[in-house]
Amino acid sequence: MTSATETVWVSDCFLDSSNISKFNLNPDDEGKDYWKDTEFREEMDRLDKLMRKHEAGGTLTEAERPKRAHPRYKELRFEKLPHFFRVNAFIVVSSDFANVLGGFDLGKGGLSKIELYQGNRTELVPGDWYFLNLGCQKQAFRPDRSTGGFNHPELWPKDKWMVSHPKDNEIAVSASALEGCDLWTDATLDGALFLSGPLEAALKAAQLTRNVRRAKCTIV
């Protein structure tokens, strides 16, 4: 039986619509016209660039990271939230999830508090919540040894692929993936977030993986 230290997991969380929350960082759009309101358009474009940076595994600066979010609709209220979800494209986790992550190597990334507000924009949602700033990238994906769970979108560069609902043992990675940080993206596989075996095992033992759709990788 393979030990946790010899395993790698891949999550397609950036393409999984089930983990998108009802919170967002967007400015209020009531009465706004994207093409006519310069300030509104610039803020939306700024957020779009930051989301792309985050999904690609880029580390956001203090000035760039999200600090507060709220539902679009003011009548919404929340008493309980999942341990792992996305606000726009940004990953947000609970204090329990953050506590587990704190024991692992996140590279240059880390955790920073984010305030989540009820729909009224003044009352905070109960609990402590953290933006997961990614900070590690590897290049270990082996498309030549993978049997499924990815595709190559038309017009994309020939050396870049997209994760696509992977199942256990479909995505192959080189043994170098076992080295270094415990949470990372791969420069050649868009939409994927990788977890080391020990990190996945710790999150699973703490019952925090319900919203983290994932599959075991093959090590080659």
Side-chain angles (χ1 to χ4, degrees):
M1 184 175 179
T2 304
S3 70
T5 57
E6 299 172 314
T7 58
V8 168
W9 294 76
V10 60
S11 171
D12 62 348
C13 63
F14 288 118
L15 302 179
D16 181 5
S17 61
S18 70
N19 66 34
I20 298 176
S21 73
K22 293 182 179 179
F23 292 90
N24 71 67
L25 302 162
N26 301 348
D28 288 331
D29 58 4
E30 186 175 351
K32 302 289 185 180
D33 186 307
Y34 178 84
W35 297 110
K36 294 180 180 180
D37 191 312
T38 302
E39 186 176 339
F40 177 74
R41 182 175 67 253
E42 289 178 348
E43 177 60 14
M44 292 297 289
D45 290 348
R46 185 187 74 87
L47 283 172
D48 182 66
K49 289 178 181 178
L50 292 180
M51 286 188 287
R52 292 175 184 273
K53 180 179 179 179
H54 178 63
E55 289 179 326
T59 305
L60 272 58
T61 66
E62 175 65 20
E64 292 173 334
R65 71 171 180 83
K67 297 176 177 65
R68 58 179 290 160
H70 53 72
R72 179 179 182 184
Y73 301 106
K74 295 183 178 181
E75 66 272 14
L76 288 180
R77 287 189 59 82
F78 302 91
E79 297 301 327
K80 188 176 182 181
L81 296 172
H83 291 286
F84 178 99
F85 54 92
R86 286 188 293 153
V87 173
N88 293 54
F90 302 103
I91 297 174
V92 173
V93 300
S94 68
S95 57
D96 289 342
F97 204 105
N99 286 338
V100 173
L101 289 176
F104 289 87
D105 182 358
L106 303 182
K108 295 180 180 179
L111 297 153
S112 57
K113 275 196 173 184
I114 180 171
E115 295 180 334
L116 300 181
Y117 284 84
Q118 305 284 8
N120 60 19
R121 316 294 168 85
T122 59
E123 187 180 354
L124 285 167
V125 173
D128 291 326
W129 305 94
Y130 295 85
F131 161 60
L132 174 56
N133 202 1
L134 302 176
C136 183
Q137 194 169 74
K138 301 180 184 181
Q139 196 160 336
F141 173 53
R142 291 289 302 272
D144 58 318
R145 300 289 296 274
S146 298
T147 60
F150 73 105
N151 59 51
H152 187 270
E154 188 177 0
L155 302 180
W156 274 37
K158 63 179 182 179
D159 57 350
K160 192 173 180 65
W161 295 265
M162 177 180 286
V163 70
S164 180
H165 303 284
K167 297 180 177 61
D168 282 349
N169 302 314
E170 285 188 335
I171 295 292
V173 295
S174 64
S176 64
L178 298 171
E179 303 170 1
C181 50
D182 293 290
L183 187 71
W184 69 95
T185 56
D186 192 294
T188 61
L189 187 61
D190 196 71
L193 184 66
F194 290 86
L195 298 83
S196 70
L199 174 56
E200 192 276 342
L203 290 169
K204 186 175 181 180
Q207 300 182 349
L208 299 172
T209 55
R210 182 176 179 180
N211 272 36
V212 186
R213 191 167 71 185
R214 63 207 186 283
K216 187 179 291 187
C217 297
T218 294
I219 310 294
V220 297

